[in-house]
Amino acid sequence: MFKRANKITALLVAAASIMSVVPAMAATNLETKDGTIEKAVAYKDGKYLYQGYRTEGDDTGLYFNAGDKDKKLDNATEIGSVGKYSDKYVQALDGSNEYIVDLSTGTISDNDTVSDLKSTAQVKLQEKLNKTSRYGKGPGKITITQATGKGARFGAVWYEYSATTQASATTTSDTTEYGANDISYSGYVDQLGNYIDCSKNANIYVYNGTKMVKLDNIGDSDSSDGTTVTLNQINYMRTLSQDDKYIYRLVSAKVSGAVSVKTGLPEANDTLYYVQRISKAQGNTEKDAYLPQSTESFQIEDTSIIGNEDVSNAFAAIDPLKSGIANYTGTKYYMVDGSMYVTFCEDGGTDKVKTIKLNLKTSTKLDEYKSGVKTGNKLDGHVVVKDSDKDQKADAWVVDANKNVWALYQGEILKSTKLGDFNSVYTCDRSFNLIDVYDDNNLIAWKKDGNAYTTVTKGTQQSQADAATTVTTAPAVTIGWKQDGANWTLFDATGTKVANKWVNVSGVWYFLKADGVMATGWHNDNGTWYFLKSSGAMATGWYNDNGTWYFLNESGAMLANTTVDGYILNASGAWVK
């Protein structure tokens, strides 16, 4: 189906060439609506949730809008501190009572709340760790904390866990028997109790004064050049981000015998810093406990340790490491095409949102020093380097579900993709100073302590009318993508609506249904299943749909009853865990 170019693809190419000579449409002006909003969460298909009230006669509470009218939700009155959770949920509270709101339906429930899911994951983890000899008589003291999926966007939820084994105890409930010889472990666990123990593998590279040596596991030593370096300990600092396959965290390593690349002298406190890329898939076992399938470590240091400006600039971008941390607020870390993007508010009177792109490099040439003098030799470093950065003045900012950065500034709503320029997409009331965005077609902006807000529901017709008066040379027919409410349709170069077809636009496959509306979610084409993301783009490779992993090959077809990368897929295509 996808191996040959078809007529519609050629027509779209022609349409793109025609549209490229038409001046860009002015930013859409969004209609101001009456309502007092304290917090809000935007979702797809024109849906949103807000805490507040519409008119003076309304009660303060939680209201859900599915794109048409507000519906007051019973029981809960406010959005919880966790906010967005998993792929479509928001934590809600009524005093100490906890609920969860399903944004796809607007329903509220006290079943499977954020706390319930966390407790369930903890119980499942406890049961599994108790069966391992690595954890001795069982981790009598175990804690888990939500690590990913919080803050920046909707996403799969994993938890950090820490567990302490009892060196000598008769019961796992007697916490008084913990002592100095007890051992602490840490790792990650998903909501189903699938875990990875991150307390053994390290795979760090260390300079020993002559060359870079690799230490695979905690406790390993290297004496190949007559100088001994030993990895004594890995200390977890912070979980930074995740993508479909990996968790990224910041750690400090205690390495005796380590030498500074910059000075050529021994490290004073034996402490080095690394960003680790840890596979979510289970790999080998250590005393019956599952280790990650892979762990990679990338050194991140300031100039005093590594004389490389790009590495030191990366060091200065990470919250727990950078100086003047009080000048940065709300930092979010997220992965795009294998690179880490760090977005934060740069204060100090400038009110700027700043994004820094960091690359995890497996081979970067570092200058070698002896007694502070550059030798001219190069060392092969596994390091984190700064790639580039971008900033924009902002009254408020947010990262959407597709990992684009949005800024609200003096009535302009601007968007940046992959560290590109900020382009004005919408305009709104200049008093608005808070915003939440799901994607290009779903956002809500409002004024703190005010009585007005706006969404994307209105304003498109006005924008198109304005454009029509300024673009006099545009063809009379509609060409390309067109938004109709929450739906997208596509018109070819002749102005004909595309329907019941696969099309390739700029290298991305989409499916237009029989009514011409762009498909999203699962789609069955003559017995073969495909998955279209919320943007309409066809998914390939491993894809997590509501906690279940599927594999879609290069043509987008879902595989079933087979094994991929060692993982078994059942008849429904789901990964058998």
Side-chain angles (χ1 to χ4, degrees):
M1 177 177 60
F2 299 137
K3 291 186 178 180
R4 64 181 186 274
N6 52 30
K7 181 179 179 182
I8 189 63
T9 303
L11 289 172
L12 287 169
V13 172
S17 64
I18 294 172
M19 295 175 69
S20 65
V21 301
V22 179
M25 184 179 293
T28 301
N29 182 41
L30 299 180
E31 177 188 59
T32 299
K33 305 176 183 181
D34 294 331
T36 299
I37 292 180
E38 299 173 22
K39 295 180 181 179
V41 175
Y43 192 58
K44 60 185 176 182
D45 302 325
K47 300 172 183 177
Y48 56 91
L49 176 75
Y50 71 87
Q51 173 185 328
Y53 56 90
R54 176 63 67 86
T55 67
E56 293 296 335
D58 293 334
D59 294 331
T60 299
L62 282 184
Y63 290 83
F64 176 77
N65 189 299
D68 46 11
K69 61 181 180 180
D70 290 345
K71 178 182 76 172
K72 189 175 187 298
L73 302 184
D74 295 331
N75 301 319
T77 59
E78 60 182 303
I79 296 173
S81 60
V82 171
K84 303 173 187 178
Y85 187 81
S86 190
D87 60 337
K88 60 179 180 179
Y89 300 104
V90 171
Q91 183 194 43
L93 301 174
D94 180 22
S96 60
N97 296 322
E98 184 182 358
Y99 300 86
I100 194 164
V101 180
D102 184 335
L103 292 181
S104 66
T105 60
T107 55
I108 186 169
S109 171
D110 59 0
N111 297 323
D112 292 333
T113 65
V114 173
S115 297
D116 291 337
L117 293 172
K118 177 180 173 181
S119 297
T120 300
Q122 183 162 336
V123 169
K124 291 180 177 178
L125 176 65
Q126 183 90 49
E127 292 174 349
K128 292 184 178 182
L129 296 186
N130 283 347
K131 297 176 181 178
T132 70
S133 57
R134 178 168 170 80
Y135 287 81
K137 297 182 178 181
K141 290 196 294 189
I142 181 172
T143 59
I144 68 171
T145 305
Q146 185 181 348
T148 58
K150 177 182 177 182
R153 66 187 192 97
F154 295 96
V157 177
W158 283 68
Y159 304 93
E160 305 161 357
Y161 78 81
S162 62
T164 304
T165 63
Q166 296 171 302
S168 58
T170 55
T171 66
T172 59
S173 60
D174 187 357
T175 58
T176 62
E177 295 189 35
Y178 287 96
N181 294 324
D182 297 324
I183 304 172
S184 294
Y185 298 101
S186 66
Y188 294 89
V189 59
D190 68 11
Q191 291 179 319
L192 299 177
N194 300 306
Y195 72 92
I196 46 174
D197 183 324
C198 302
S199 306
K200 178 178 176 61
N201 302 144
N203 295 318
I204 69 171
Y205 286 82
V206 180
Y207 183 50
N208 67 359
T210 302
K211 65 179 182 180
M212 286 286 187
V213 297
K214 183 183 178 185
L215 301 175
D216 295 321
N217 301 308
I218 297 172
D220 284 359
S221 296
D222 184 281
S223 303
S224 58
D225 284 355
T227 300
T228 301
V229 288
T230 304
L231 174 57
N232 299 305
Q233 191 174 348
I234 290 286
N235 296 312
Y236 162 82
M237 295 184 68
R238 179 173 178 176
T239 302
L240 299 175
S241 186
Q242 69 164 330
D243 56 26
D244 289 346
K245 294 183 179 180
Y246 302 101
I247 291 173
Y248 301 80
R249 71 174 186 172
L250 178 69
V251 299
S252 64
K254 298 292 288 184
V255 185
S256 58
V259 173
S260 167
V261 174
K262 171 67 175 177
T263 65
L265 301 174
E267 286 297 329
N269 58 7
D270 295 339
T271 300
L272 301 174
Y273 298 97
Y274 295 85
V275 171
Q276 291 187 319
R277 178 165 60 200
I278 301 171
S279 173
K280 293 178 178 178
Q282 293 175 334
N284 295 329
T285 59
E286 175 70 14
K287 296 182 178 179
D288 309 315
Y290 283 104
L291 305 177
Q293 191 175 77
S294 65
T295 299
E296 297 176 275
S297 297
F298 304 85
Q299 195 169 0
I300 180 167
E301 303 287 353
D302 63 15
T303 308
S304 65
I305 307 299
I306 292 181
N308 182 292
E309 184 177 359
D310 291 336
V311 177
S312 61
N313 286 339
F315 180 91
I318 303 294
D319 256 3
L321 300 177
K322 62 192 175 188
S323 60
I325 188 172
N327 292 329
Y328 303 87
T329 57
T331 304
K332 292 179 172 59
Y333 303 85
Y334 49 101
M335 305 303 299
V336 180
D337 297 336
S339 295
M340 181 177 292
Y341 288 73
V342 185
T343 300
F344 53 91
C345 180
E346 190 173 28
D347 296 322
T350 58
D351 294 324
K352 291 191 298 184
V353 56
K354 189 177 187 74
T355 300
I356 299 175
K357 179 181 178 182
L358 307 179
N359 293 330
L360 281 58
K361 306 289 286 187
T362 56
S363 181
T364 295
K365 300 304 179 184
L366 306 174
D367 290 322
E368 181 188 53
Y369 290 78
K370 296 292 186 182
S371 300
V373 178
K374 190 184 298 186
T375 66
N377 295 329
K378 298 289 185 179
L379 301 171
D380 198 14
H382 287 58
V383 292
V384 184
V385 300
K386 177 183 174 181
D387 180 289
S388 51
D389 62 58
K390 182 78 69 176
D391 57 45
Q392 164 67 42
K393 290 185 177 180
D395 299 316
W397 65 274
V398 67
V399 179
D400 72 11
N402 299 316
K403 307 177 186 177
N404 302 310
V405 181
W406 293 76
L408 171 61
Y409 182 65
Q410 295 185 356
E412 273 195 293
I413 300 175
L414 308 103
K415 171 190 172 186
S416 171
T417 300
K418 293 184 180 179
L419 217 65
D421 292 334
F422 279 87
N423 295 310
S424 182
V425 180
Y426 300 104
T427 59
C428 62
D429 190 309
R430 290 173 64 89
S431 69
F432 292 163
N433 53 15
L434 290 171
I435 190 171
D436 191 68
V437 182
Y438 183 85
D439 58 22
D440 291 43
N441 308 304
N442 298 277
L443 63 81
I444 182 169
W446 68 99
K447 179 182 179 181
K448 182 180 181 180
D449 301 325
N451 56 2
Y453 74 102
T454 190
T455 67
V456 187
T457 308
K458 303 287 185 179
T460 303
Q461 292 181 346
Q462 178 63 41
S463 175
Q464 292 173 340
D466 292 341
T469 62
T470 57
V471 185
T472 58
T473 60
V477 295
T478 300
I479 298 174
W481 291 106
K482 180 182 178 182
Q483 184 181 11
D484 183 14
N487 298 323
W488 285 92
T489 52
L490 185 65
F491 294 82
D492 66 23
T494 68
T496 302
K497 180 189 287 186
V498 181
N500 200 30
K501 289 181 180 290
W502 287 95
V503 296
N504 187 300
V505 181
S506 300
V508 178
W509 285 100
Y510 301 83
F511 185 80
L512 286 306
K513 296 184 290 188
D515 60 357
V517 174
M518 181 188 76
T520 59
W522 287 104
H523 170 70
N524 190 301
D525 188 0
N526 295 321
T528 300
W529 285 98
Y530 299 82
F531 189 86
L532 293 312
K533 302 177 184 178
S534 60
S535 65
M538 183 187 75
T540 59
W542 286 105
Y543 193 86
N544 189 311
D545 181 31
N546 201 26
T548 301
W549 287 95
Y550 300 85
F551 187 84
L552 306 113
N553 65 18
E554 292 182 359
S555 72
M558 184 196 78
L559 301 187
N561 288 325
T562 188
T563 300
V564 177
D565 297 334
Y567 299 102
I568 299 173
L569 304 176
N570 64 19
S572 66
W575 169 33
V576 180
K577 300 181 179 180

